[in-house]
Amino acid sequence: SYNQPENQIYPNIFHSCKNALEENPDFGLLSPIIFGGCGNPDQQNQNLLDGVVLETNKTICFISVLIRREAWDQIGPMDEDFTGYGWDDDDYCHRAKLLGWKTGVFGSLQIFHGSENRTMSSSYHTYFTKEEQKVNSSHNHEMFKKKWGFLPSKLPHFEYPKKDKQELLINKLYGYSFR
């Protein structure tokens, strides 16, 4: 799992994460509820009950994310060609969904994101000027568009393949079969 350094976490995180994965085997990526800046409103659903997992069709913002080991083994690592900030999580969620994994938010855990009165990544704002942030974001935006042929905003409307097509996609994306 990944958690940005400025996030504050409640106790019992590992127990909550383990339970969420065991009770929801179709989910490859899970996010806790996020208090603070987050581009996916499903991740900010503060009414989500403890123990409930909400499937989301939007990108899970990688503020804090739990990735099932089997999903990681199929999807692979993050694409390191995305640099700075943005669209790396869009890319990863898209790859997960292409392989048939669901993404969701679980109500058993909450994360506070941001510090220094910022609702976004404080570390990003600390290390990059506003101009560098624009350049990084623009680069990643164009990279995603070139890689997938559409913009990340179209992801919720993308029709993902049925389970029986997964083997073909794995072969197409990675050049080999997992079976």
Side-chain angles (χ1 to χ4, degrees), residues 54-104:
L54 171 69
E55 183 176 2
T56 183
N57 290 324
K58 300 179 185 316
T59 293
I60 288 182
C61 300
F62 278 30
I63 295 161
S64 181
V65 66
L66 178 66
I67 302 173
R68 180 183 300 279
R69 181 74 221 190
E70 297 91 339
W72 177 270
D73 289 343
Q74 281 188 349
I75 301 162
M78 302 284 289
D79 185 337
E80 293 184 3
D81 289 335
F82 289 97
T83 58
Y85 189 79
W87 288 279
D88 51 343
D89 45 11
D90 293 281
D91 176 70
Y92 203 85
C93 287
H94 183 59
R95 289 163 46 206
K97 290 177 181 180
L98 281 172
L99 295 171
W101 291 104
K102 293 180 182 180
T103 60

Side-chain angles (χ1 to χ4, degrees), residues 9-28:
I9 308 170
Y10 282 109
N12 300 323
I13 183 174
F14 297 110
H15 179 72
S16 296
C17 293
K18 181 177 180 267
N19 286 347
L21 286 176
E22 287 176 353
E23 294 169 9
N24 299 280
D26 291 341
F27 285 81

Side-chain angles (χ1 to χ4, degrees), residues 32-43:
I33 295 170
I34 306 296
F35 291 92
C38 180
N40 180 343
D42 292 337
Q43 286 177 274

Side-chain angles (χ1 to χ4, degrees), residues 59 78-79 82-93 133-134 136-145 148 150-153 155:
T59 293
M78 302 284 289
D79 185 337
F82 289 97
T83 58
Y85 189 79
W87 288 279
D88 51 343
D89 45 11
D90 293 281
D91 176 70
Y92 203 85
C93 287
Q133 292 171 26
K134 285 181 188 177
N136 287 339
S137 181
S138 177
H139 164 79
N140 287 351
H141 183 268
E142 290 305 314
M143 192 176 130
F144 185 97
K145 186 177 176 183
W148 296 109
F150 57 90
L151 298 176
S153 61
L155 281 176

